[in-house]
Each structure stands twice: as C-alpha cells, then as structure tokens.
Amino acid sequence: MQALGKQGHWASRTEAKVPAPVEIARRLGIADGDLCVRPVYEFLADGRPVQLSTSWEPYELTAGSLVVPPEGGPHAGVGVVNRMSELEVTVSHAVEQPEPRHATVEEASLLGIQKAAPVTHIRRTYSSDQGRPALCEIVYGIPVSRQ
C-alpha cells in the first residue's frame, strides 16, 4: 500500500463452529458439515475495502487451544504458519488456484463495485508436512480506467 501512496489496514471477524460446505470439506479432507473456524477479513486502502479473504480451519484442529481465534489471544495476527506451529503442525507448502469470475452480490457490496463485476478469486490451500490442509480464499477487485 505504501508503494501506491495509500494507507493500508485490515479488519476481521471470526465465526467458530461453522459447518463446512461440501467444497470446503472436500478441500480440508473432513466430512461435509464438520465444524470449522471461519475468519473473514477485509483489507483496506485509505479506508476503502479492496480485498476480501475468508479462511476455513477444521475446528477439531484448534479446539481448546489459544490459537482458535486467529486475531485474538496471544497469537493474534501472526499468520496461519506461525499459529499452526503452536499446535506442532508444520505448514510445509501452499497451493494457489486463481480464477476469474464475477463478484457475488455480497462481495460487490463490500468492495463498492458493480454487481457481477469481474474479480479474481484465489483459492489458497496450506498443507502441513503431514498432508493436512487448511484453506484461505481471497477475492479482490481491480479498478480499470479507460484512457
């Protein structure tokens, strides 16, 4: 943000014990409907949302630990790799799958863009050295100007 001359910031909220939708459960290697922790982030430039991110972590992995709320407690804001290391889970790699698509109504509203505007949706899956995945989905809009 600084390189663009903008002030960067972010806001988050975390929901615990959210049932995993089919696609998320498949990617996490858990059963459909198993409980997850779902942090949702808004990344801001000069106070305006420019990127959204939703993560999914199996609740059974973090339940009862100090890392359950990603942005709360003694491990707040340290990122998934460092949080998982507190549970003796070593994140060894991440795979990202970008795809163009149209913004959902909710995304368009949060980002201040037109309904169905083109966005880039990125599915990032972190995996441990034991092969256990954790997910992060990122959606952001890119303003386009005509000259």
Side-chain angles (χ1 to χ4, degrees):
M1 288 292 120
Q2 191 175 31
L4 297 173
K6 300 194 180 287
Q7 181 68 37
H9 186 64
W10 55 271
S12 70
R13 64 181 161 75
T14 298
E15 300 169 285
K17 299 184 179 180
V18 177
V22 173
E23 178 189 348
I24 298 299
R26 188 176 308 128
R27 287 176 54 209
L28 287 174
I30 59 177
D32 298 351
D34 275 4
L35 298 179
C36 290
V37 175
R38 181 176 63 189
V40 178
Y41 299 88
E42 286 183 68
F43 296 92
L44 312 166
D46 291 341
R48 183 177 171 271
V50 292
Q51 179 177 322
L52 308 173
S53 177
T54 301
S55 297
W56 294 85
E57 299 172 357
Y59 184 71
E60 70 162 15
L61 182 64
T62 59
S65 74
L66 295 176
V67 302
V68 171
E71 302 308 329
H75 306 292
V78 299
V80 71
V81 173
N82 291 324
R83 285 181 48 252
M84 292 300 116
S85 72
E86 291 297 320
L87 300 173
E88 298 183 9
V89 173
T90 302
V91 175
S92 58
H93 66 282
V95 174
E96 289 190 347
Q97 178 184 355
E99 65 182 9
R101 68 167 174 76
H102 297 286
T104 66
V105 171
E106 180 183 13
E107 291 165 349
S109 176
L110 289 169
L111 291 169
I113 59 178
Q114 293 181 350
K115 262 190 321 190
V119 296
T120 300
H121 183 235
I122 301 173
R123 289 189 174 105
R124 179 185 303 151
T125 304
Y126 293 102
S127 293
S128 72
D129 55 358
Q130 295 89 23
R132 180 93 193 230
L135 306 182
C136 179
E137 296 194 354
I138 301 170
V139 178
Y140 54 90
I142 302 170
V144 178
S145 60
R146 295 180 186 210
Q147 297 181 1

